[in-house]
């Protein structure tokens, strides 16, 4: 079912552009914005919005549990991802940050799919995903 939906999504949009290409451009913009700010060191920041960052970076590297609720799916999948990224040479904090970056990119795609499913087109979805990706709390 997912493959069928993806094939339908990457078809031609109203302007003749491939919807998949429109979303790929949005993903490249998000990458260009996020990669220069990727955390490569364990966070020691005490600002309110970043209090959990260091905890998540450490927990993912030691297959640990974050504070309640524990984020079990994020922790298990993230620990596996971080372990593989570290085998490929990424540092501990960088690997954890890359995992979060992948989730961010996935949300941009998901927003584009939802907008398209609701009757919009991929360009509207890409703009909505970019708008969400550039909010402060995201």
């Amino acid at each position: 079912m997912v493959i069928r939906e993806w094939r339908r999504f990457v078809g031609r949009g109203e302007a003749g552009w491939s919807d998949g290409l429109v979303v790929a451009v949005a993903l490249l913009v998000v990458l260009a914005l996020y990669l220069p700010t990727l955390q490569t060191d364990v966070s020691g920041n005490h600002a309110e919005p970043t209090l959990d960052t260091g905890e998540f970076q450490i927990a993912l590297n030691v297959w640990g549990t974050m504070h309640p609720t524990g984020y079990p799916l994020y922790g298990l999948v993230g620990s596996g991802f971080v372990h593989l990224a570290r085998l490929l040479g990424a540092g501990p904090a960088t690997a954890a940050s890359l995992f979060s970056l992948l989730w961010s990119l996935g949300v941009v795609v998901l927003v584009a799919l939802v907008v398209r499913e609701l009757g919009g087109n991929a360009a509207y979805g890409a703009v909505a995903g970019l708008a969400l990706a550039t909010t402060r709390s995201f």
Side-chain angles (χ1 to χ4, degrees), residues 60-96:
L60 290 178
N61 277 280
V62 297
W63 295 82
T65 303
M66 288 69 113
H67 62 277
T69 63
Y71 306 93
L73 179 62
Y74 182 87
L76 287 172
V77 176
S79 293
F81 176 88
V82 166
H83 181 72
L84 289 174
R86 297 213 38 218
L87 287 174
L88 295 173
T94 303

Side-chain angles (χ1 to χ4, degrees), residues 18-39:
S18 165
D19 290 346
L21 179 62
V22 170
V23 174
V25 169
L27 291 176
L28 289 174
V29 170
V30 172
L31 273 173
L33 292 172
Y34 282 19
L35 282 178
T37 64
L38 192 71
Q39 270 193 319

Side-chain angles (χ1 to χ4, degrees), residues 38-43 57 61 82 86 90-98:
L38 192 71
Q39 270 193 319
T40 58
D41 200 3
V42 176
S43 174
Q57 289 173 323
N61 277 280
V82 166
R86 297 213 38 218
T94 303
S97 296
L98 285 172

Side-chain angles (χ1 to χ4, degrees), residues 4 9 21 31 33 39-40 47-48 79 90 107 113 119 130 136:
R4 183 179 62 215
F9 180 73
L21 179 62
L31 273 173
L33 292 172
Q39 270 193 319
T40 58
E48 188 66 33
S79 293
V107 169
L113 288 170
L130 283 170
R136 183 177 178 146

Side-chain angles (χ1 to χ4, degrees), residues 111-124:
V111 167
L113 288 170
V114 168
V115 169
R116 175 118 188 267
E117 191 64 31
L118 292 174
N121 64 31
Y124 295 147

